[in-house]
Amino acid sequence: MNASLSWIKAYVPDLTAGYQEFRDAMTLSGTKVEGFTQFDKDLDKIVIGQIDKIEKHPDADKLLICQVNLGDENVQIVTGASNVFEGAKIPVVKDGGKVAGGHDGKMTEGGITIKAGKLRGIDSYGMMCSIEELGSTREMYPDAAENGIYILPDDAEIGADAIEYLGLHDANYEFEITSNRVDCYSVLGIAREAAATFRLPFHGIEPKIEKTIEDIHDYLEVEVEDPDLCPRYTCMMVKNIRLAPSPMWLQRRLASNGIRPINNVVDITNYVMEEFGQPMHAFDYDTIHGHKIIVKRANDGDLFVTLDGQERKLDKDILMINDAERPIGIAGIMGGEDSKITDDVQTLVFESACFDGTNNRLSAKRLGMRTDASGKYEKGLDPNNALPALIRACQLIEELDAGDVVGGTIDIYPDPVEEKQILFDPERINAYLGTDIDEETQLSFFPPLEIKYDPSTRMLTIPTFRQDLLRGADIAEEVARFYGYDNIPSTLPDSEEMSGRLTRGFVVQNKIRETMRAYGYSEAMTFSFESPKVFDKLHLVADDPHRNAITISNPLGEDYSIMRTSLINGMLTSLAINYNRRNKTAALYELSNIYLPKALPLTELPDERMTLCFGFYGDGDFFDLKGTMEEVLTRLGLKMSRDYVADGSIAFLHPGRQAKVMIKGGREQIGYLGEVHPQVSKTYGINGKAYVAQVDAQALYEYANFDKKYKEIPKYPAVTRDLSMVMDKSIPAGEIENVIAKCGGKLIESYSLFDVYEGERIGENKKSLAYNLVFRAKDRTLEDKDVNPVIDKIIEKLKEKNIELRS
């Protein structure tokens, strides 16, 4: 959205801020200024002069010697312009003054300083200026001569500031407007923001027409067949159109906004669109067949020629403006060629309507058209703005004597939009903002915004053009904006829940990542989408729960058509990539979600469970994998006992080298680990042993314990015993360690396996394990009578499991 400062000041006359001050203040209050163009930049000492006498240069055929009256002095200026004449009023830059461009019309950074000098031997004390040398163009000043001096109108005052007369003491601002502030796509909307920002009165417009002739209902009939796409349609008529150039003030305002003036009627529609943010369209009444307007959808395949001469193919979702026989315009986008305004127009129909923003945007996109009007309509305009804008246009017609306004208005508005009301609660606003702004100050921000306050009910009445104000929090934001974000003190949140800290889940995840990195694993990230084929690659049976996967309704392809129920496929694929790239070893981990449906087809959101998967090939074996798992659980502070139970049910793991990870005395499984089945490894392209583990990380959120307790250095010496035992190879070491821990009670401080032996000396299918046991008491030195009963108890329990002491 562009708006000139002078136009904004027309509604906030007390505004005295400079260009940069205005930019900074508006940006801080929430109406961000992207940048601005200062029209009088590099222009200095330029006044209005009148040429009193012209003589030919004695030594140059193309040069003229002019005697110029500047009001307070007469100066001699030599010029090569051919369009000057005696009595002409022209802009003159005095000796030492500056212009914005060179003689070739090209802009020069910093401007050009004009100094007195001689031209072919004749003194010249200044320069007469073209419109380009004043930093503007003929597009904005169409009355300017091409390649000549700009001749000012006869009413220009000699000696006056030429820049002020031309309206160049101004700047055009480019505002970045968010889509929820459609009211700011207008100069009036920006002016309201400026008034509230600088705490100044806002002088809005209440358009009215002083004199009308006849009645529009005697000339025109309007019917809206699709009110869902056109909630409001209004129109007025003007007879006896008198086309002429617009007055200078209107041309200057349009030019300052970058709009080229054309004629009074076209300029008025452009002016109102910029001023009110309400697009308008004018039809030639004599081209409307049947003198009837019908607003309805097009038919599929209809063809329509727009104002730009292009033939457009329509469909049933495009809203059209029709007369009694044919379409005459695409609603909210562009009019038709057959009903365009020509120089012969006698009677105009002004249309000001509100169209559905979403439909308008989609229609413009399908047609490949995006006009100034559609750009505003697609934001969702305020229907209550349509009629005031229409009256404003007819008011300008009357003021500029561009025609005679026909009395009455056709206004089809079946479901009017009502103003909202929001409770004003200053204490709650202060609680939101962490401020202590008094009630009177808060209320002072609302009048410029046209928000009304009723002290008896403490309700704020929100104008319909403020579609973004819906609740108390929005009112608090308005107070914050205009009080000044830079004036709001920094405060700590009152709520403990709002204090900055990581959730328990993130703490656990970070500890897991820290542990995996410490053990040499690199983090991997794989897709959450997988192919149904992975279940066969993992040799899963038909009724395996992992096959109960969620199917994606709009997949990228079959290879990404389901949500993963395990991280194993992604891990093996990543290991295989490393293997095929000839990396001798690779150790990876992934901490991500898996997606477990509660029922298929889905009736509710699935269980998204954070899961840890890690694996490696190369250096290491099953016990290294188990050691990593144990370290993860230890660093998470799991106090409960955990067991590794041999299992052969997982199809993609080696049947004799896999185990379940159990906690709570074997009552709950939190994961599994093992060597990858050789056939599965081969399927993935790994020609060697690979090892993987998966654990339910989300279950660990509950069991993790990061409390650290100090233990003093022992005062009393320890007693050690070594036990060497013989057992069947099938008995895991974990069974022995469970017996030692349980029977050792409070006296057992630690135990460690220090020898494993298999050989002929102990028999076939036997093995020998030797443990070192350390006993210690906190309150005394242990003696044999304390330790021996414990050793005997351990031995008895081991015998029950067919484990004998090695002789």
Side-chain angles (χ1 to χ4, degrees):
M1 172 65 195
N2 289 355
S4 66
L5 186 58
S6 63
W7 200 344
I8 293 169
K9 286 181 177 180
Y11 314 114
V12 193
D14 298 332
L15 182 60
T16 59
Y19 299 136
Q20 189 63 44
E21 181 188 358
F22 181 80
R23 172 184 182 169
D24 294 342
M26 293 294 285
T27 298
L28 284 174
S29 68
T31 309
K32 183 181 178 183
V33 178
E34 288 284 350
F36 67 93
T37 301
Q38 183 179 334
F39 297 144
D40 59 357
K41 184 180 181 182
D42 304 326
L43 301 180
D44 186 32
K45 298 176 69 174
I46 301 176
V47 299
I48 297 173
Q50 178 175 287
I51 302 174
D52 290 340
K53 185 178 181 181
I54 298 178
E55 299 176 339
K56 290 186 176 181
H57 194 291
D59 298 323
D61 294 339
K62 294 185 178 181
L63 294 181
L64 299 173
I65 304 172
C66 301
Q67 305 301 322
V68 182
N69 177 12
L70 301 183
D72 58 349
E73 61 177 325
N74 292 312
V75 298
Q76 178 174 282
I77 298 176
V78 179
T79 180
S82 60
N83 68 319
V84 295
F85 54 90
E86 291 183 357
K89 293 183 178 180
I90 40 62
V92 176
V93 56
K94 292 183 175 181
D95 179 23
K98 295 174 71 175
V99 293
H103 291 285
D104 57 359
K106 293 182 180 179
M107 298 302 294
T108 303
E109 184 65 30
I112 296 175
T113 301
I114 303 301
K115 296 182 179 179
K118 291 180 181 290
L119 288 178
R120 301 294 292 269
I122 302 297
D123 292 330
S124 182
Y125 297 94
M127 186 181 79
M128 293 180 279
C129 302
S130 67
I131 195 63
E132 288 80 11
E133 288 160 339
L134 296 176
S136 192
T137 65
R138 291 184 66 246
E139 282 194 355
M140 298 299 105
Y141 291 83
D143 57 332
E146 185 175 2
N147 299 322
I149 302 302
Y150 185 37
I151 307 300
L152 297 170
D154 293 337
D155 64 354
E157 181 183 350
I158 298 172
D161 184 351
I163 303 306
E164 182 176 355
Y165 179 82
L166 291 171
L168 292 175
H169 282 315
D170 199 2
N172 180 270
Y173 287 82
E174 181 183 355
F175 297 92
E176 180 186 311
I177 307 300
T178 55
S179 58
N180 68 326
R181 289 303 308 275
V182 66
D183 59 297
C184 286
Y185 284 93
S186 66
V187 179
L188 280 170
I190 297 294
R192 282 192 204 96
E193 292 290 302
T197 298
F198 291 95
R199 304 190 188 185
L200 298 171
F202 171 70
H203 297 265
I205 297 175
E206 295 183 5
K208 59 181 179 179
I209 302 167
E210 299 294 339
K211 183 180 178 181
T212 61
I213 61 171
E214 306 178 84
D215 190 332
I216 188 175
H217 296 89
D218 296 333
Y219 289 89
L220 187 66
E221 181 183 353
V222 176
E223 179 182 345
V224 177
E225 293 188 5
D226 292 280
D228 57 323
L229 300 184
C230 179
R232 189 175 196 181
Y233 190 91
T234 67
C235 58
M236 295 181 70
M237 283 180 60
V238 178
K239 298 182 69 175
N240 307 319
I241 294 296
R242 296 178 283 276
L243 293 179
S246 298
M248 198 59 64
W249 67 267
L250 194 150
Q251 291 191 39
R252 296 293 174 262
R253 284 191 179 174
L254 290 178
S256 68
N257 266 31
I259 299 174
R260 182 172 64 90
I262 298 175
N263 60 50
N264 49 8
V265 172
V266 175
D267 293 349
I268 285 171
T269 59
N270 287 332
Y271 185 88
V272 173
M273 182 169 72
E274 293 296 304
E275 185 178 47
F276 276 77
Q278 173 65 46
M280 299 184 64
H281 189 69
F283 298 105
D284 186 339
Y285 174 76
D286 294 326
T287 66
I288 300 176
H289 294 179
H291 296 162
K292 181 176 183 179
I293 291 177
I294 305 172
V295 184
K296 64 179 182 178
R297 296 172 184 262
N299 298 313
D300 286 332
D302 284 354
L303 299 177
F304 180 70
V305 180
T306 48
L307 275 172
D308 56 5
Q310 299 292 317
E311 187 175 70
R312 313 286 180 176
K313 187 175 181 179
L314 310 176
D315 60 56
K316 62 180 178 58
D317 292 322
I318 295 176
L319 189 67
M320 301 295 294
I321 309 299
N322 305 264
D323 60 20
E325 300 176 4
R326 61 195 176 137
I328 57 176
I330 305 176
I333 300 177
M334 187 178 286
E337 189 173 41
D338 292 342
S339 60
K340 66 182 179 182
I341 305 301
T342 66
D343 292 342
D344 299 327
V345 64
Q346 294 297 314
T347 304
L348 281 180
V349 175
F350 276 116
E351 165 199 276
S352 178
C354 185
F355 303 112
D356 179 74
T358 302
N359 179 267
N360 188 270
R361 177 178 61 84
L362 295 175
S363 297
K365 184 176 181 181
R366 289 197 302 276
L367 292 171
M369 305 170 66
R370 197 173 192 279
T371 61
D372 289 340
S374 69
K376 284 182 164 56
Y377 276 121
E378 69 184 24
K379 304 294 189 300
L381 298 183
D382 175 22
N384 291 334
N385 196 40
L387 185 57
L390 180 63
I391 297 174
R392 173 62 166 165
C394 291
Q395 178 189 29
L396 291 172
I397 289 284
E398 184 178 65
E399 291 178 358
L400 304 185
D401 193 30
D404 301 320
V405 180
V406 175
T409 303
I410 294 178
D411 184 8
I412 300 178
Y413 193 15
D415 188 15
V417 176
E418 301 292 339
E419 293 179 327
K420 300 181 293 290
Q421 288 196 323
I422 300 176
L423 178 67
F424 175 61
D425 188 344
E427 293 182 359
R428 189 172 181 83
I429 289 173
N430 280 321
Y432 269 126
L433 304 179
T435 55
D436 188 20
I437 308 171
D438 62 86
E439 181 175 334
E440 184 178 352
T441 300
Q442 292 186 30
L443 288 171
S444 69
F445 301 130
F446 301 138
L449 300 174
E450 300 188 35
I451 297 175
K452 301 173 184 176
Y453 176 61
D454 185 350
S456 62
T457 61
R458 300 189 66 80
M459 298 299 290
L460 295 169
T461 301
I462 312 300
T464 56
F465 58 77
R466 286 304 302 271
Q467 301 173 19
D468 60 310
L469 301 183
L470 302 174
R471 54 188 65 86
D474 299 324
I475 299 299
E477 183 182 7
E478 295 299 289
V479 171
R481 289 200 300 132
F482 297 114
Y483 180 72
Y485 292 117
D486 53 332
N487 295 323
I488 297 177
S490 299
T491 57
L492 292 175
D494 293 333
S495 173
E496 182 180 346
E497 287 73 15
M498 295 178 63
S499 59
R501 62 183 180 187
L502 293 175
T503 64
R504 181 174 180 82
F506 276 116
V507 172
V508 173
Q509 292 175 35
N510 289 342
K511 180 61 70 174
I512 291 173
R513 289 189 171 94
E514 177 187 312
T515 305
M516 298 308 300
R517 288 194 298 267
Y519 266 63
Y521 287 78
S522 298
E523 186 168 9
M525 296 182 69
T526 60
F527 285 120
S528 298
F529 305 153
E530 289 186 335
S531 168
K533 298 176 182 178
V534 302
F535 302 134
D536 295 330
K537 290 178 69 175
L538 294 173
H539 295 185
L540 298 182
V541 296
D543 59 348
D544 192 292
H546 288 91
R547 289 184 179 268
N548 296 327
I550 301 166
T551 302
I552 300 169
S553 59
N554 57 338
L556 299 174
E558 185 182 1
D559 290 343
Y560 304 97
S561 61
I562 62 170
M563 303 297 292
R564 64 186 176 192
T565 55
S566 170
L567 301 180
I568 295 297
N569 172 68
M571 178 57 60
L572 291 177
T573 301
S574 300
L575 291 174
I577 291 173
N578 281 272
Y579 183 86
N580 292 327
R581 292 179 181 174
R582 300 186 182 280
N583 292 325
K584 292 183 179 180
T585 62
L588 303 173
Y589 79 94
E590 181 172 7
L591 188 60
S592 299
N593 282 334
I594 60 174
Y595 304 87
L596 306 177
K598 299 173 183 176
L600 287 176
L602 285 178
T603 56
E604 56 182 315
L605 292 175
D607 183 11
E608 299 184 29
R609 295 197 69 79
M610 184 61 63
T611 303
L612 169 66
C613 181
F614 56 94
F616 66 87
Y617 68 83
D619 297 337
D621 56 19
F622 177 87
F623 296 103
D624 292 291
L625 186 74
K626 179 187 173 187
T628 303
M629 176 71 76
E630 188 64 21
E631 186 65 19
V632 169
L633 300 180
T634 299
R635 291 203 182 189
L636 291 178
L638 264 71
K639 302 297 184 181
M640 61 191 68
S641 63
R642 44 191 179 267
D643 298 314
Y644 296 87
V645 179
D647 182 52
S649 63
I650 302 175
F652 50 82
L653 296 180
H654 192 295
R657 298 169 190 170
Q658 60 176 276
K660 296 178 180 178
V661 184
M662 310 296 292
I663 59 174
K664 292 185 176 181
R667 296 190 304 274
E668 181 179 343
Q669 179 181 350
I670 60 170
Y672 54 82
L673 70 165
E675 179 185 324
V676 179
H677 195 290
Q679 292 181 359
V680 175
S681 293
K682 187 176 181 180
T683 301
Y684 279 88
I686 303 174
N687 294 324
K689 293 182 178 181
Y691 300 87
V692 294
Q694 182 168 292
V695 62
D696 184 359
Q698 196 155 323
L700 301 178
Y701 294 174
E702 178 184 351
Y703 305 133
N705 188 333
F706 298 108
D707 293 338
K708 303 293 183 182
K709 293 187 178 180
Y710 165 75
K711 288 186 178 180
E712 61 181 8
I713 298 174
K715 295 181 180 180
Y716 300 97
V719 176
T720 61
R721 294 283 192 275
D722 290 342
L723 288 179
S724 181
M725 293 152 284
V726 178
M727 67 206 76
D728 292 338
K729 284 185 178 181
S730 61
I731 299 177
E735 288 194 21
I736 298 174
E737 293 174 0
N738 288 339
V739 170
I740 294 173
K742 188 174 182 179
C743 296
K746 295 182 179 180
L747 296 183
I748 188 78
E749 184 178 74
S750 64
Y751 51 87
S752 59
L753 177 68
F754 68 87
D755 181 61
V756 178
Y757 172 75
E758 295 180 15
E760 296 180 356
R761 296 174 57 187
I762 59 174
E764 189 176 357
N765 293 325
K766 296 286 186 178
K767 65 180 178 182
S768 172
L769 302 181
Y771 278 87
N772 176 257
L773 281 62
V774 178
F775 299 91
R776 192 192 305 268
K778 294 181 179 180
D779 57 350
R780 68 188 188 282
T781 300
L782 294 177
E783 299 178 359
D784 287 345
K785 65 179 181 180
D786 299 314
V787 176
N788 288 341
V790 176
I791 295 295
D792 292 340
K793 186 177 181 181
I794 292 172
I795 293 173
E796 284 298 320
K797 287 293 183 181
L798 292 174
K799 285 182 178 180
E800 294 178 5
K801 298 179 179 291
N802 295 321
I803 301 173
E804 302 288 343
L805 285 179
R806 182 179 175 187
S807 58

